[in-house]
Amino acid sequence: MKTSNNTKILVFVIALLAVLVLALLGSERAEYVKEQQAKKEITESTYGITYTLGDSSASISKAVLILVEQTDANLTEGYHPDEAFYYWIADQYGKDAIFDLAYQVYEGLATTDMWEEYTGETLHTLYADYCEAKGYSTYYTENINWPEETTEQESNHTVSVIGDICFSEGWYTQNALEANNGALTTVFSAQVINLLNTSTVSWANNEFVFADDRTPLEGKDYTFGTDTKNVNYLNLLGIDIVSLANNHVYDFGEGGLLQMMDTLDGAGINYVGAGEDIDEACKPQYYVINGKKIAFVAATQVEITLNYTKEATATSAGVLKTLDPEKFLKVIREADANSDYVIAYVHWGWEGRLYSDEEQYSLAEAYVDAGADVIIGNHAHRLQGARYIDDVPVIWSLGNFWLSNGSLYTAIINIEVPEDGNLAVSVVPCRQANLYTSLINDDEGKQAFYEYFADLSYGIGITEDGRLGNTQGEEEEDYAYYSGSDYATHSGNSDLNGSAIDGVGNLIENQ
């Protein structure tokens, strides 16, 4: 068989390209080896020790000495890494990571970003990993969680936050669940359950008490409680952590709150915003996600004029309050110093309202100044809007996720933890109707939801997929929805069907 000229030319071109690729790869490899050798020679010249590329133990020891002796305190962010820490890095991430770190420090090029650049994890996470692995410095590993991510979770690195949920016996929601033999899919859509179970961490406001021995507080209008066995519903729903900083966790006194915290501990569900004493109530929970250490903190401004819900003291259980914000500001500052990002969940404002007030704005400003990176609120029993304060997103209220019998908008706030940069916040549209909470999937329904959310917001844009953006004085992206557009008029006194509702979100005609 004769070979055509075109075929010969094609074969020649392919062979030539192969030679060029091999030459390029060889050049890059040679350059890499040369660069690594240069870094090691810096160590050699500094300490007068001669070694070769293969002499890894001597190379590592001198690089470790550079890091121990020359790393500025501002690069170690309050931690105290020693030789053992750096040898652990070499063991976990390879000798090149140590050489790169030492080179950056020696040349005066080092920044706090170097840890993540050469290991894939921030120093907050590295030091926590190191202490956990070695059993050292339990202070640095206290309340730190390393979620075991599934393949799907590893691809999204997302914290999902929902509003009020209520499994209280005798209440509308729990009655509906029990009428359907406790089948969770009869009150939450499969999509909702799947989303919360596949997020890396899912966080809810626990607006009731898990306790078997329940004596309600005298004089309180609404007291929400359920048997401890029902904590299983939180596990099935995919909830990893709850906020206990609200005005119902003390409905059955200190004894009820203590039973609930024991129940949550037994179910493997973390909590923030309350504790056996004020020290525990102030403690954040930390989660390591995508190489970052995320702090979860919570406090309540409610009750403003009453005091049924007691604040924790040095000797008694209770919640963390933020009527006087200084305690919570201290919590945020300390969380900020010990993590890469801080997410604050706050129970504040007034029931039945669609908008926040000036006092909430002042509190939000203080939280931002203290170091909060995302602020999420609740208590209004209505979905409220959002705004940015110094590039920090504030979602004023998520409303009832599953608490009332009125038809109301609610949402899942997805907070994506990126490889670098700021947390990305998206609003997933949901509807609570007929005691059933589901995602809004149809285009018309999504449009109506995002227009509603935009109308209640200030200075924000929303993309087609629900990502929030700041439009206050910044170069704007091309958003699908904008606050200030006045898409429609809205009332906090009626539900999505136009029916009258009370402050909690229940239909008045049913009362």
Side-chain angles (χ1 to χ4, degrees), residues 149-187:
E149 296 181 321
T150 64
T151 302
E152 186 171 356
Q153 289 171 328
E154 288 174 353
S155 66
N156 62 35
H157 305 299
T158 298
V159 176
S160 292
V161 188
I162 61 174
D164 298 338
I165 55 174
C166 187
F167 288 91
S168 179
E169 292 180 10
W171 192 246
Y172 301 101
T173 45
Q174 185 67 9
N175 288 346
L177 180 62
E178 291 176 359
N180 289 282
N181 298 314
L184 203 62
T185 52
T186 63
V187 293

Side-chain angles (χ1 to χ4, degrees), residues 349-501:
W350 299 90
E351 293 180 347
R353 295 187 182 180
L354 295 183
Y355 299 94
S356 59
D357 60 25
E358 291 183 5
E359 187 170 359
Q360 288 172 264
Y361 183 80
S362 296
L363 286 173
E365 282 189 310
Y367 302 153
V368 171
D369 289 343
D373 295 288
V374 178
I375 300 170
I376 296 173
N378 237 9
H379 179 62
H381 298 291
R382 304 291 190 274
L383 177 66
Q384 296 179 345
R387 73 171 296 164
Y388 282 79
I389 299 176
D390 294 340
D391 284 331
V392 172
V394 182
I395 295 90
W396 297 110
S397 173
L398 288 183
N400 296 341
F401 195 72
W402 186 65
L403 187 139
S404 60
N405 63 13
S407 296
L408 297 170
Y409 282 138
T410 185
I412 299 173
I413 299 298
N414 275 346
I415 304 170
E416 183 181 351
V417 181
E419 289 188 4
D420 51 47
N422 296 326
L423 299 173
V425 177
S426 298
V427 182
V428 180
C430 300
R431 182 188 294 110
Q432 177 202 248
N434 300 317
L435 301 168
Y436 180 81
T437 301
S438 60
L439 301 187
I440 299 174
N441 294 309
D442 62 290
D443 291 340
E444 184 178 348
K446 286 181 180 179
Q447 178 179 338
F449 174 92
Y450 286 128
E451 288 179 353
Y452 176 95
F453 192 82
D455 279 343
L456 302 184
S457 301
Y458 175 83
I460 69 162
I462 309 172
T463 63
E464 288 284 1
D465 61 357
R467 184 174 54 80
L468 296 184
N470 185 4
T471 64
Q472 301 175 65
E474 302 293 333
E475 184 177 344
E476 295 186 13
E477 296 184 31
D478 186 16
Y479 295 107
Y481 308 94
Y482 292 87
S483 58
S485 297
D486 296 327
Y487 295 105
T489 57
H490 311 283
S491 170
N493 298 320
S494 58
D495 72 358
L496 297 175
N497 298 323
S499 301
I501 53 176

Side-chain angles (χ1 to χ4, degrees), residues 4-50:
S4 68
N5 289 334
N6 287 340
T7 301
K8 291 179 179 178
I9 292 172
L10 179 60
V11 171
F12 175 76
V13 170
I14 292 173
L16 180 60
L17 287 174
V19 171
L20 291 174
V21 168
L22 289 173
L24 179 61
L25 291 174
S27 175
E28 289 181 349
R29 175 61 184 169
E31 185 65 28
Y32 174 78
V33 172
K34 182 179 179 181
E35 183 178 305
Q36 294 300 316
Q37 181 64 42
K39 293 176 183 179
K40 294 176 182 181
E41 286 175 356
I42 286 175
T43 306
E44 177 184 341
S45 64
T46 303
Y47 291 96
I49 301 294
T50 300

Side-chain angles (χ1 to χ4, degrees), residues 232-248:
N232 183 52
Y233 288 123
L234 292 186
N235 294 126
L236 294 174
L237 191 56
I239 301 303
D240 303 291
I241 178 172
V242 294
S243 171
L244 299 183
N246 62 62
N247 57 310
H248 284 289

Side-chain angles (χ1 to χ4, degrees), residues 2-264:
K2 294 184 178 180
T3 304
S4 68
N5 289 334
N6 287 340
T7 301
K8 291 179 179 178
I9 292 172
L10 179 60
V11 171
F12 175 76
V13 170
I14 292 173
L16 180 60
L17 287 174
V19 171
L20 291 174
V21 168
L22 289 173
L24 179 61
L25 291 174
S27 175
E28 289 181 349
R29 175 61 184 169
E31 185 65 28
Y32 174 78
V33 172
K34 182 179 179 181
E35 183 178 305
Q36 294 300 316
Q37 181 64 42
K39 293 176 183 179
K40 294 176 182 181
E41 286 175 356
I42 286 175
T43 306
E44 177 184 341
S45 64
T46 303
Y47 291 96
I49 301 294
T50 300
Y51 55 84
T52 65
L53 278 173
D55 191 7
S56 60
S57 60
S59 303
I60 291 172
S61 66
K62 301 312 155 191
V64 166
L65 283 174
I66 288 178
L67 289 166
V68 169
E69 295 182 2
Q70 298 187 30
T71 303
D72 292 336
N74 66 314
L75 296 174
T76 57
E77 302 187 73
Y79 299 104
H80 304 285
D82 56 10
E83 292 93 337
F85 172 70
Y86 293 117
Y87 280 116
W88 175 82
I89 288 181
D91 181 61
Q92 295 295 310
Y93 301 96
K95 58 187 177 64
D96 286 345
I98 283 295
F99 297 147
D100 287 332
L101 290 169
Y103 178 77
Q104 294 293 312
V105 168
Y106 183 79
E107 287 293 308
L109 303 172
T111 68
T112 54
D113 294 332
M114 70 178 185
W115 309 104
E116 187 174 7
E117 181 177 354
Y118 297 117
T119 70
E121 295 192 338
T122 65
L123 182 59
H124 292 299
T125 299
L126 280 173
Y127 206 74
D129 288 346
Y130 163 70
C131 291
E132 176 74 5
K134 299 295 185 181
Y136 300 153
S137 303
T138 54
Y139 168 79
Y140 291 111
T141 58
E142 187 177 28
N143 288 7
I144 300 179
N145 306 274
W146 287 264
E148 294 183 6
E149 296 181 321
T150 64
T151 302
E152 186 171 356
Q153 289 171 328
E154 288 174 353
S155 66
N156 62 35
H157 305 299
T158 298
V159 176
S160 292
V161 188
I162 61 174
D164 298 338
I165 55 174
C166 187
F167 288 91
S168 179
E169 292 180 10
W171 192 246
Y172 301 101
T173 45
Q174 185 67 9
N175 288 346
L177 180 62
E178 291 176 359
N180 289 282
N181 298 314
L184 203 62
T185 52
T186 63
V187 293
F188 296 101
S189 73
Q191 286 182 314
V192 165
I193 296 171
N194 180 66
L195 190 157
L196 294 175
N197 274 277
T198 55
S199 292
T200 309
V201 178
S202 291
W203 192 6
N205 179 48
N206 204 98
E207 192 87 349
F208 62 98
V209 177
F210 288 110
D212 294 324
D213 180 15
R214 300 191 299 272
T215 301
L217 292 179
E218 184 177 350
K220 191 168 188 186
D221 292 335
Y222 295 99
T223 54
F224 295 147
T226 192
D227 292 344
T228 57
K229 65 182 181 182
N230 290 327
V231 73
N232 183 52
Y233 288 123
L234 292 186
N235 294 126
L236 294 174
L237 191 56
I239 301 303
D240 303 291
I241 178 172
V242 294
S243 171
L244 299 183
N246 62 62
N247 57 310
H248 284 289
V249 297
Y250 210 86
D251 283 358
F252 303 94
E254 183 179 12
L257 175 59
L258 289 170
Q259 285 183 72
M260 176 162 62
M261 292 187 294
D262 286 343
T263 300
L264 293 168

Side-chain angles (χ1 to χ4, degrees), residues 335-349:
D336 181 49
N338 289 287
S339 68
D340 300 296
Y341 301 103
V342 179
I343 307 174
Y345 204 161
V346 190
H347 215 69
W348 57 5

